[in-house]
Amino acid sequence: MQLSAPRHVPARPHRPAQLSAPRRRDARAAAAAPAAAALGRRAVLGLAAAPCCCAGCGRRWAWYDSWFALNMAAGMADYEHAVAPLKAALFERLLRGARADSAADVPLQLLEVGIGTGPNLRHLRHLGGSVAVTGLEPNPAMWPYAREAAAAAGLGEQQLALVAGDATALPFEAGRFDVAVITLVLCSLPGEGPRRALDEVLRVLRPGGQLLVVEHVAAPELGWLRAQQALLDPLQQLLADGCHLTRRTDALLRSSGFGPSSAGGGGAAVPQTRVDGVAGATAAVAGGGPAGEGLLAFEVEGMGLIAPHVAGVLRAPLT
């Protein structure tokens, strides 16, 4: 059932008196471990496939949402560890550009589409009170984890607002946000959902606002990996909240209306550069050269079916 209206949720975390937030998070992860072992990031037919955050779902089942949230909370550690250096470099580029473009005394308005359990919030730790995060997440079972992740990152209760809504029809006015984040979301939107979601992000970003994106994609060449992705794609969708293994999200991003992250780049052609693994992508982003201003194509070692990735920081048109 599609959620008909956004629900703005206060960021007050629910903490039982007998457990602190970190200890409660550890207890949840321990409880989820059997499920994660059975169907975690690497469990589709014993291959490395991953569940993704879905921010544009239709009918939802409470039991599945709860199971999936537990699975994401306990089964993401290997993946997040593998991409952590790259995410850190991407967030540094995103936030450096956003701070240069905005007033110093106004909190940065950041939208994360499909915030899930909040694994990206750790990269905002150094911002203190200078950021306000709006997290779109249609699965309410994810919200307690996201709140705990925000607390662990040092964000105050009023700095995170959770909203239930549809990524393809964002419940926000045009130009509201300075920056946006999408990681492992476009793979799981049905049909034309990925394109409509990017159109919506363009709408709600201010002119010249920036988008950080990290997505797994179809293998770039015909071969055994691409054949495996095609064969297991239906099962992946069933087990991983609609996630597709064969999406050409790189091509979609290049034609989305976003441009390179360099000043004035919005609307220009987005270059795509193939680099060697997460280390190569991190170096390209951190180095500040032309390659780091567009999309980077690379593989995340050890991630099997979802190893092929694209990532980058893109800019919306200035007008």
Side-chain angles (χ1 to χ4, degrees):
M1 180 175 61
Q2 190 77 325
L3 293 167
S4 58
R7 287 184 286 166
H8 294 264
V9 182
R12 182 177 296 109
H14 172 69
R15 297 188 179 93
Q18 68 271 25
L19 286 177
S20 66
R23 296 173 74 181
R24 187 160 70 110
R25 186 167 54 252
D26 292 343
R28 278 204 179 104
L39 283 171
R41 278 264 161 195
R42 305 185 178 190
V44 176
L45 297 187
L47 299 171
C52 299
C53 306
C54 180
C57 298
R59 182 177 180 183
R60 305 195 67 91
W61 292 272
W63 67 266
Y64 181 85
D65 282 351
S66 295
W67 171 84
F68 191 64
L70 285 170
N71 186 39
M72 291 292 285
M76 291 289 291
D78 287 351
Y79 176 83
E80 291 298 335
H81 178 75
V83 299
L86 175 58
K87 281 191 175 183
L90 288 168
F91 271 92
E92 173 59 30
R93 177 182 279 267
L94 176 79
L95 298 171
R96 183 173 64 244
R99 286 195 297 266
D101 294 342
S102 60
D105 58 343
V106 178
L108 188 72
Q109 296 294 320
L110 184 150
L111 169 66
E112 180 161 4
V113 179
I115 194 170
T117 59
N120 294 323
L121 295 174
R122 70 191 69 179
H123 300 290
L124 306 178
R125 184 186 304 275
H126 63 288
L127 293 181
S130 63
V131 64
V133 179
T134 299
L136 187 86
E137 179 51 60
N139 180 353
M142 300 279 195
W143 295 350
Y145 300 105
R147 291 177 183 136
E148 289 169 4
L155 299 180
E157 293 183 359
Q158 302 307 313
Q159 288 180 262
L160 174 66
L162 297 175
V163 179
D166 185 343
T168 66
L170 293 175
F172 311 113
E173 65 272 18
R176 172 174 170 178
F177 297 99
D178 299 303
V179 293
V181 175
I182 298 178
T183 64
L184 301 187
V185 170
L186 298 178
C187 56
S188 56
L189 299 177
E192 289 296 309
R195 183 172 295 279
R196 296 206 306 269
L198 289 172
D199 288 344
E200 281 290 273
V201 172
L202 270 175
R203 180 182 65 81
V204 302
L205 278 176
R206 62 169 172 77
Q210 295 185 89
L211 168 67
L212 184 158
V213 61
V214 179
E215 291 284 337
H216 71 83
V217 296
E221 299 175 356
L222 294 175
W224 178 233
L225 179 55
R226 177 81 75 84
Q228 287 180 307
Q229 289 177 325
L231 177 65
L232 296 176
D233 191 55
L235 182 59
Q236 175 76 353
Q237 294 177 49
L238 178 66
L239 296 179
D241 213 6
C243 172
H244 293 71
L245 296 171
T246 56
R247 284 269 167 88
R248 291 300 310 274
T249 306
D250 49 345
L252 176 62
L253 288 165
R254 293 198 304 272
S255 64
S256 64
F258 284 94
S261 60
S262 55
V270 177
Q272 180 168 313
T273 305
R274 178 157 289 280
V275 293
D276 185 14
V278 171
T282 303
V285 174
E293 294 181 353
L295 281 177
L296 299 167
F298 58 97
E299 293 198 357
V300 181
E301 184 178 358
M303 291 296 117
L305 293 176
I306 65 155
H309 268 60
V310 292
V313 176
L314 307 179
R315 186 178 289 272
L318 292 171
T319 57

